Amino acid sequence: EIIAAIEGLMKDPAVGHPLKGKRVLVTSGPTREPIDPVRYISNHSSGKQGHAIAKAAAEAGAEVTLVTGPVSLADPVGVTVVHVESARDMLAAVEAALPADIAVFAAAVADWRVASVADNKLKKGAGGPPSLAFVENPDILATIAKHGSKRPQLVVGFAAETEAVVDNARAKLARKGCDLIVANDVAPGTGTFGGDANTVHLVTPDSVETWDRQSKDGVARALVTRLAEMIAKA
Amino acid sequence: EIIAAIEGLMKDPAVGHPLKGKRVLVTSGPTREPIDPVRYISNHSSGKQGHAIAKAAAEAGAEVTLVTGPVSLADPVGVTVVHVESARDMLAAVEAALPADIAVFAAAVADWRVASVADNKLKKGAGGPPSLAFVENPDILATIAKHGSKRPQLVVGFAAETEAVVDNARAKLARKGCDLIVANDVAPGTGTFGGDANTVHLVTPDSVETWDRQSKDGVARALVTRLAEMIAKA
């Protein structure tokens, strides 16, 4: 009867597909902020963690939209993928992808962009190097977490920190108004940016949980399982 | 006897291998200049043109060293490849690769780097966006073109321009002290940066030649043939 029970479970579409019927939005990768037509500012995010989460959510039965900055990864199978460059493009694509039940903001979005982008390539001249002034980019995580009627039921942020990882993540959770922060240490030497493994801390308003170092795929599957539990309880 | 003649030519190692016995140094790709441990400044160079030149030079019989910034291209077969990030790293790798008979500087090297790189990730704070000050990077092309005893016999620069392409290239040729500038128009809409085709102008002290738009592999083979002719005449 054990086999019969297992067969019964396997026929239940909810088992193994805990996110069936749910819409999940994931952001991934870096953004690129132009300086002039050839130069840009970016960051070392590879998109591996965000892409792995999109894949794991699709495998868990969700209808997934992945909004990604420029990465050298293949589009995950079974996922709707929207490719963007700048933070402002990413926000527009995220808003276009709503409504969603769960939103996971794993992209490393540029906090700032260059205040005035040059129409032509900046030249080396007698005046010496230029000095760039910046303006703040829209805060995609906070915008969506405070979206009112269109706020997804679960809003998850990522924090890429090089120091005081958990303290910075707690502050970010409160400031942004999200439900969960996945904090990872991206200091040089950790190999997190660009690497295949990740050590993460799950920070909620009343708890901090540190997961053993594991593959980004492993983090993705465990996170998706956790999100399915949270949304089932909510 | 035509066949015999062809067979004779094919046995001649110089035919089809016009750079046999020559050392060729090629740079390729963008450089990345750090802002802090996670952010950097880079540019849209894909490395396709530089890598194609390294491959074409190797196929022409040369002993090739390719010094490349971060690209998502495979290392060309039969070429010694050195991977670097910043302009200063690239200059050091180029100097270490000398002497060479021909040097082709196809990399899109950052003209400037951030004056003081932050040890930790810059945080969004009450003070608003940071303002970045820059200092000029070493000029790899000019340094090697004016290297005295170690100057390669032929020094070739690239100019990526968005306006006044040929005029800027002529000025660059004079200023840098190189033998040939390959100028290409990388304005948005040309598809040159990242694309597979290129329209180039060959600028020497006393001529400008515009080549039909063709694949970057085609440009590479034609350029290598030209360089072999130039070095044979010199």
Side-chain angles (χ1 to χ4, degrees), chain A residues 27-182:
Chain A
T27 69
S28 186
T31 63
R32 282 185 184 169
E33 306 298 326
I35 297 173
D36 65 19
V38 300
R39 300 181 178 92
Y40 61 82
I41 294 177
S42 193
N43 64 67
H44 291 290
S45 170
S46 63
K48 286 179 182 173
Q49 186 62 78
H51 278 55
I53 292 165
K55 179 167 169 272
E59 286 169 359
E63 189 185 324
V64 181
T65 299
L66 172 65
V67 178
T68 180
V71 296
S72 50
L73 300 174
D75 290 350
V77 174
V79 168
T80 302
V81 183
V82 183
H83 293 269
V84 299
E85 294 252 326
S86 72
R88 287 183 293 178
D89 295 345
M90 185 171 276
L91 176 59
V94 162
E95 293 197 311
L98 293 180
D101 299 290
I102 301 174
V104 181
F105 295 100
V109 179
D111 291 322
W112 302 287
R113 66 177 182 276
V114 175
S116 67
V117 176
D119 286 338
N120 280 302
K121 187 181 171 189
L122 298 170
K123 307 291 291 176
K124 279 205 282 195
S131 166
L132 291 182
F134 294 89
V135 293
E136 220 164 273
N137 265 326
D139 186 326
I140 299 176
L141 174 57
T143 301
I144 302 306
K146 298 170 182 172
H147 215 301
S149 65
K150 274 193 169 177
R151 186 193 194 276
Q153 202 175 338
L154 279 181
V155 175
V156 181
F158 268 67
E161 304 288 349
T162 55
E163 54 181 345
V165 175
V166 169
D167 285 350
N168 279 329
R170 274 185 183 287
K172 186 169 183 174
L173 182 80
R175 203 168 61 240
K176 307 284 183 171
C178 56
D179 302 294
L180 179 69
I181 290 276
V182 181

Side-chain angles (χ1 to χ4, degrees), chain B residues 64-228:
Chain B
V64 182
T65 298
L66 172 65
V67 178
T68 180
V71 295
S72 50
L73 300 173
D75 290 350
V77 174
V79 168
T80 301
V81 183
V82 183
H83 293 270
V84 299
E85 294 253 326
S86 72
R88 286 183 294 177
D89 295 345
M90 186 171 275
L91 176 59
V94 161
E95 293 196 311
L98 294 178
D101 300 289
I102 302 174
V104 181
F105 296 100
V109 179
D111 291 322
W112 302 288
R113 67 177 180 276
V114 175
S116 67
V117 176
D119 287 336
N120 280 302
K121 187 183 171 189
L122 298 170
K123 306 290 292 175
K124 278 205 281 198
S131 168
L132 292 182
F134 295 89
V135 293
E136 220 165 272
N137 265 327
D139 186 326
I140 299 176
L141 173 59
T143 303
I144 302 305
K146 298 170 182 174
H147 214 302
S149 64
K150 276 194 168 175
R151 186 194 195 276
Q153 201 175 337
L154 278 181
V155 175
V156 180
F158 267 67
E161 304 288 351
T162 55
E163 53 181 343
V165 175
V166 169
D167 285 350
N168 279 328
R170 274 185 185 287
K172 184 169 184 174
L173 182 82
R175 203 167 61 239
K176 308 283 183 172
C178 56
D179 303 293
L180 178 70
I181 290 275
V182 182
N184 46 76
D185 186 341
V186 298
T190 60
T192 298
F193 257 154
D196 291 318
N198 205 355
T199 308
V200 302
H201 312 273
L202 259 66
V203 180
T204 67
D206 45 28
S207 70
V208 176
E209 203 176 301
T210 298
W211 287 359
D212 285 344
R213 188 164 184 81
Q214 58 188 309
S215 71
K216 289 182 176 177
D217 284 336
V219 169
R221 285 189 298 266
L223 180 65
V224 161
T225 300
R226 176 65 60 93
L227 295 175

Side-chain angles (χ1 to χ4, degrees), chain B residues 28 47-57 76 216-218 220-221 224:
Chain B
S28 186
K48 285 179 183 173
Q49 187 61 80
H51 278 56
I53 292 165
K55 179 168 169 272
K216 289 182 176 177
D217 284 336
R221 285 189 298 266
V224 161

